[in-house]
Amino acid sequence: MNSYSVHIFDLDGVIYLGNTAIPHAIEYLNHLSIKGDKVYFFTNNSSKTRLSVAEKISKLGYTTNEEQIISSSSIANEYFATKNYKSAFLFGELGARNALFDNGIQIINDSIPLETILDNDSIKCDIVLAGIFRTATYSHVAAASLLLQRGAKFIVTNTDPSIPIERGLFPGAGAMIKAIETASGIVPEIIFGKPSPIGILSLISNLNLPETNFIMYGDRMDTDILCGYNANISTALMLTGAMTREDANSYPFKPTYIYNNFLECMQ
Ligand SMILES: [Mg+2]
């Protein structure tokens, strides 16, 4: 691990599970900082702001700030700044809301009741932005589905099927997006989160360092490891979350390293 100077970490299943730190994770982060390495966190969770993610990590014992947080919402924010969308249906939470708000995109479901959207074919919007949405109802899924059929572009923060918590797996953004996709028969056109390499590629370009300096740590092959692979950087599969060594073998791409825990990374 000494050949890397920029370390990018997934959060759920790597740094913490729910509100509990993964054993040795905080110790490893502090070890890297003392060494003078750069540390970043890349989360597909669009329900929280970067500041609240930074505060959560800091509370667990590693002092961090929002500039170290890459989220599907922060990537969305950068993307919307380059587009000219005027109106959106928001199927999501605070992080996704901020990405729209910061770019002056009107959220139609803030001012128009869901029943009106469902009943009136003339109500349209430029995009449907979907992510994790823990208070979603049947009517939200129906409205998103109808607006896509009325011509809105389908954009999603990420497609993670599940979120690991202490007691098992909770539905992730992907599980909820599938409801809209299944109902409408329309698939997302743009995905911001991992495994899309957009976030890592922009970090490489911002830091202006060789890509051989970068490593991505994650607990999922299909998001974290594929993201690093797509961005052409080294990867470490951490067996502290969603996947086992056997799971890793079933993918056509391989992580550069597989570790049981961060203690092994320090040896
Ligand atoms: Mg994870």
Side-chain angles (χ1 to χ4, degrees), residues 194-205:
K194 298 169 282 189
S196 162
I198 306 174
I200 292 181
L201 293 177
S202 89
L203 182 66
I204 292 172
S205 139

Side-chain angles (χ1 to χ4, degrees), residues 10-14 219-220 224:
D10 172 49
L11 287 170
D12 287 303
V14 174
D219 69 320
R220 279 184 184 274
D224 310 315

Side-chain angles (χ1 to χ4, degrees), residues 14 16 32 43 76 86 112 134 139 179 189 194 202 210 220 265:
V14 174
Y16 51 66
L32 293 174
T43 174
K86 299 273 182 266
I112 308 172
R134 286 166 294 187
S139 293
E189 220 170 299
K194 298 169 282 189
S202 89
R220 279 184 184 274
C265 299

Side-chain angles (χ1 to χ4, degrees), residues 44-114:
N44 270 1
N45 188 338
S46 62
S47 69
K48 296 189 184 77
T49 63
R50 293 159 88 196
L51 182 63
S52 67
V53 173
E55 283 171 352
K56 177 168 179 177
I57 300 165
S58 298
K59 264 187 209 144
L60 292 175
Y62 175 75
T63 307
T64 186
N65 62 62
E66 60 184 317
E67 278 72 46
Q68 288 170 272
I69 314 295
I70 303 163
S71 71
S72 51
S73 311
S74 71
I75 301 166
N77 206 320
E78 285 178 29
Y79 173 85
F80 290 140
T82 69
K83 301 290 171 190
N84 201 23
Y85 300 129
K86 299 273 182 266
S87 57
F89 180 81
L90 174 65
F91 184 95
E93 298 182 17
L94 192 58
R97 168 175 293 278
N98 287 345
L100 295 170
F101 181 81
D102 291 349
N103 287 287
I105 301 169
Q106 186 213 346
I107 299 168
I108 65 164
N109 40 323
D110 280 351
S111 55
I112 308 172
L114 284 175

Side-chain angles (χ1 to χ4, degrees), residues 4 201 204 209-215 231-234:
Y4 304 101
L201 293 177
I204 292 172
L209 289 168
E211 60 194 19
T212 49
N213 290 30
F214 291 72
I215 181 164
N232 199 28
I233 64 169
S234 292

